Amino acid sequence: MGNVSCPIRLQTKTEVYMRPGYLGDLESFIDSSKFEYLEPNSLQEACSILARYKEKARVIAGGTELIPLIQQGKARPDCLINLKSIPNLQFVETYSDFGEEGIKIGSGTTLFDLGRSAIINEKAAVLAEAINQREFRLNRSRWAYYMATIGGCLFSPERAADIAPALMVLNAKAVRQGIQGWETMSMQDLFTADSEGGVYEILGEIRIPKQQESEVGLAYEKGPATGDGSSIGVAVFLRLDLKHVDVEEIRIVVGGIGNAPIESREGPAIMTGNPIDDHLIIDAADMAAEEVCGASDAEIIEKTRELIEEAIRHAIDRSIGDFALGY
Amino acid sequence: MDSTKKVIKLKVNGEAYEVAIKPRMTLLQLLRNELGLTGTKQACMDNSCGACTVIVDKMAVKSCSILAMQVNGKEITSVEGLASKDGKLSPLQESFLEHSAFQCGFCTPGKLMSSTAMLEEMPDPTEEDVRRDMEGNLCRCTGYVQYLEAIMDVVGKRKEAAK
Ligand SMILES: Cc1cc2nc3c(=O)[nH]c(=O)nc-3n(C[C@H](O)[C@H](O)[C@H](O)COP(=O)(O)OP(=O)(O)OC[C@H]3O[C@@H](n4cnc5c(N)ncnc54)[C@H](O)[C@@H]3O)c2cc1C
Ligand code: FES
Ligand code: FES
């Protein structure tokens, strides 16, 4: 190696560069957070390590959520398993398996790469929209966007708000690897699977089935954070009949209210089979907001209502294009 | 060597390093404590102030929240790497000086690194772009006007030069 400087300094740097006490919290971090750091070469290997250490191990991807938790002493793993060492965990590709087509995304793909992926922007634009709106609001932590992975995002506490609603309206599936093998599950199941405990599986990829291209509108809207709470994100899928008059199918998924995104049943129930109409949109947004917000305060219900209404209108615009003016 | 240490290779400000570190060491600790590059500042340690910002492979990142192990094989630029070898300051550094864009200067290395990465990615930003992009870099004394003027001045001069 040219120009190699070799600063292997085995004495502690407190003696050399730091005034004692000046970086007290840094020193206590060094002392308190002792963990073994492992770099597996495959997901199977990572799962075996996880099965061996069980709850004493944590997998790390971008680290934007986990490192601060370790620094604050809120997570104290004995073993850290770096998923970034696994080859082929960062990809966005189209697939065609057993007659099903779509896009697959490796769990180690960064939000930065996803937001700029031509495949995502062309075939799953609502996901790019969710990522970009998250980034816009999150520019305070622009760094997170560069490091953060889609896998880490789906396992962080704020997961419910940002990316998940968009994945849910796209009917995305999560593919998890355990020591026994692969398991494919819906996004809803991914959010509830771990609550039973004792499951040491790692998200390997996300599969988004090919979307019908005509008469369909997908939209994502995000509001600002409410006080200490996370911000609310709404994703809508809408399919109109061929005459662009009646709503054939609509899905409304709201994130940021609870631990997992919530899909409204009542809003879609009053819209499905009916002609699009301004009052219908407002009534559906009202009902969906009341339903998903439950006992939340009036301000949150109102914000959610506004976002749902906006997302429905955008979805209509997108499914009918210019004809939608007025909605 | 301590058996719990791991060896990583990286480039910092153009120099190649091979360093034996404990896995729990953050990039900030590596720069300050192992490599003696104390220009990168430590403040909040919870990702909110931006004082510790450095550039990793062209991206501005907060070094307090990245493990040194995560930058194995990567190229890092810290504030010490902005000036040329003969000590000539970068246009942004010059402009920060001209516009007195700091008082105590604690936030300045982070601000310089964020704005350097930003201008790499977005050569012709608007004032709004700059304000938004720099939101992650807090300043407790100077306020947020002078650094904006300093950055926009560099953008303007670049445009003039390109004519
Ligand atoms: C200041 C700040 C602001 C933030 N704002 C937001 C926000 O607005 N929205 C938001 O969504 N998040 C936010 N976050 C949380 C976090 O940065 C993101 O959710 C990020 O996407 C996490 O990705 P990562 O790759 O860095 O995850 P990591 O930090 O590496 O991991 C996060 C969690 O996911 C687990 N994990 C990672 N990959 C996998 C996998 N493949 N399989 C199973 N488990 C896995 C880890 O064990 C860990 O528990 C914020 C964090 C900070 C510090
Ligand atoms: S010290 Fe890293 S963001 Fe404040
Ligand atoms: S100049 Fe003092 S913190 Fe910014």
Side-chain angles (χ1 to χ4, degrees):
Chain A
M1 202 177 354
N3 193 18
V4 176
S5 141
C6 192
I8 302 175
R9 303 180 201 276
L10 296 175
Q11 71 270 56
T12 73
K13 286 303 117 191
T14 322
E15 295 155 21
V16 180
Y17 291 117
M18 292 190 288
R19 278 184 284 125
Y22 174 55
L23 297 177
D25 52 347
L26 198 64
E27 287 300 283
S28 63
F29 170 59
I30 293 174
D31 291 338
S32 64
S33 54
K34 293 189 174 135
F35 47 74
E36 199 176 340
Y37 176 85
L38 298 171
E39 295 193 324
N41 290 313
S42 66
L43 270 181
Q44 286 90 329
E45 193 186 337
C47 290
S48 315
I49 302 170
L50 205 50
R52 199 163 73 235
Y53 282 87
K54 300 204 161 55
E55 64 286 342
K56 291 187 176 148
R58 291 292 287 270
V59 295
I60 178 170
T64 62
E65 168 81 17
L66 196 53
I67 300 295
L69 289 180
I70 294 175
Q71 292 194 13
Q72 292 155 13
K74 290 181 186 158
R76 294 179 183 275
D78 286 353
C79 172
L80 212 52
I81 308 166
N82 185 9
L83 296 182
K84 290 254 170 156
S85 64
I86 300 175
N88 310 325
L89 219 52
Q90 298 188 34
F91 57 84
V92 181
E93 293 167 6
T94 51
Y95 70 89
S96 174
D97 288 344
F98 307 110
E100 194 197 285
E101 287 178 52
I103 308 165
K104 52 184 183 178
I105 302 168
S107 66
T109 312
T110 62
L111 299 186
F112 183 76
D113 288 339
L114 279 174
R116 279 156 185 76
S117 152
I119 295 181
I120 297 294
N121 278 284
E122 193 192 320
K123 297 180 190 294
V126 70
L127 176 59
E129 198 172 12
I131 291 171
N132 291 335
Q133 288 198 31
R134 171 192 196 268
E135 194 262 346
F136 184 78
R137 188 178 48 80
L138 259 193
N139 239 304
R140 276 179 62 78
S141 44
R142 175 184 168 78
W143 57 277
Y145 186 57
Y146 291 142
M147 297 293 290
T149 64
I150 190 159
C153 195
L154 292 174
F155 283 91
S156 294
E158 282 134 334
R159 66 190 187 172
D162 285 313
I163 312 298
L167 287 173
M168 278 171 68
V169 292
L170 287 167
N171 256 328
K173 300 267 185 298
V175 183
R176 297 208 313 183
Q177 167 88 47
I179 33 176
Q180 310 288 352
W182 293 100
E183 185 187 8
T184 301
M185 54 176 63
S186 68
M187 296 309 294
Q188 290 92 324
D189 289 346
L190 181 74
F191 289 126
T192 47
D194 292 333
S195 56
E196 290 144 28
V199 184
Y200 303 107
E201 291 186 334
I202 298 173
L203 181 67
E205 66 183 44
I206 289 148
R207 289 185 164 225
I208 301 173
K210 188 171 179 209
Q211 305 296 305
Q212 244 183 305
E213 266 143 36
S214 59
E215 334 303 336
V216 165
L218 283 144
Y220 179 86
E221 291 298 332
K222 183 152 197 72
T226 44
D228 288 341
S230 57
S231 60
I232 297 159
V234 175
V236 166
F237 165 98
L238 176 107
R239 193 174 61 238
L240 298 175
D241 68 349
L242 289 174
K243 292 187 206 130
H244 297 143
V245 176
D246 291 337
V247 176
E248 274 195 359
E249 187 185 351
I250 177 164
R251 291 181 64 194
I252 302 169
V253 179
V254 180
I257 306 287
N259 293 332
I262 309 168
E263 178 155 6
S264 163
R265 302 284 159 210
E266 294 175 15
I270 62 159
M271 285 193 87
T272 310
N274 287 314
I276 324 164
D277 157 284
D278 214 32
H279 295 293
L280 189 69
I281 297 170
I282 293 168
D283 289 349
D286 268 345
M287 290 182 81
E290 293 276 348
E291 177 192 359
V292 299
C293 291
S296 307
D297 67 41
E299 195 194 342
I300 293 182
I301 298 176
E302 179 51 21
K303 272 194 184 133
T304 310
R305 200 201 61 72
E306 280 171 15
L307 287 169
I308 295 175
E309 190 183 325
E310 217 171 306
I312 296 176
R313 288 181 193 280
H314 274 157
I316 295 172
D317 275 350
R318 285 172 189 179
S319 55
I320 336 185
D322 293 343
F323 297 106
L325 293 175
Y327 289 107
Chain B
M1 186 178 79
D2 180 342
S3 64
T4 60
K5 288 192 168 181
K6 305 231 176 202
V7 175
I8 59 166
K9 291 179 182 176
L10 71 167
K11 261 193 179 174
V12 182
N13 302 329
E15 302 256 325
Y17 288 91
E18 194 172 316
V19 201
I21 55 159
K22 296 226 173 190
R24 58 184 176 267
M25 177 173 277
T26 59
L27 174 58
L28 175 65
Q29 292 168 310
L30 172 71
L31 292 172
R32 291 184 57 92
N33 309 345
E34 293 296 312
L35 307 185
L37 297 171
T38 52
T40 304
K41 300 300 176 211
Q42 182 214 333
C44 69
M45 296 291 280
D46 69 5
N47 318 302
S48 47
C49 76
C52 64
T53 309
V54 297
I55 298 175
V56 177
D57 285 352
K58 301 201 172 153
M59 310 291 195
V61 300
K62 297 191 179 175
S63 61
C64 69
S65 302
I66 296 181
L67 292 178
M69 297 298 299
Q70 289 177 287
V71 297
N72 192 3
K74 300 206 183 283
E75 269 193 42
I76 321 292
T77 308
S78 69
V79 70
E80 291 88 347
L82 289 184
S84 63
K85 289 262 184 280
D86 60 7
K88 188 173 173 354
L89 298 181
S90 74
L92 275 167
Q93 285 175 307
E94 289 284 5
S95 194
F96 268 57
L97 272 174
E98 261 170 43
H99 288 267
S100 303
F102 48 82
Q103 279 177 39
C104 78
F106 203 79
C107 65
T108 313
K111 279 211 161 89
L112 282 167
M113 301 319 288
S114 289
S115 48
T116 302
M118 176 186 62
L119 293 190
E120 273 281 311
E121 193 187 310
M122 201 194 312
D124 188 14
T126 61
E127 259 192 40
E128 192 44 44
D129 290 332
V130 175
R131 218 176 270 126
R132 201 183 58 149
D133 230 86
M134 297 289 293
E135 262 182 39
N137 291 85
L138 305 183
C139 174
R140 304 197 79 171
C141 17
T142 317
Y144 297 90
V145 177
Q146 288 95 326
Y147 85 84
L148 185 66
E149 289 171 355
I151 296 170
M152 290 315 290
D153 202 13
V154 172
V155 174
K157 282 182 181 150
R158 274 191 183 179
K159 274 202 219 161
E160 274 304 307
K163 273 185 191 161

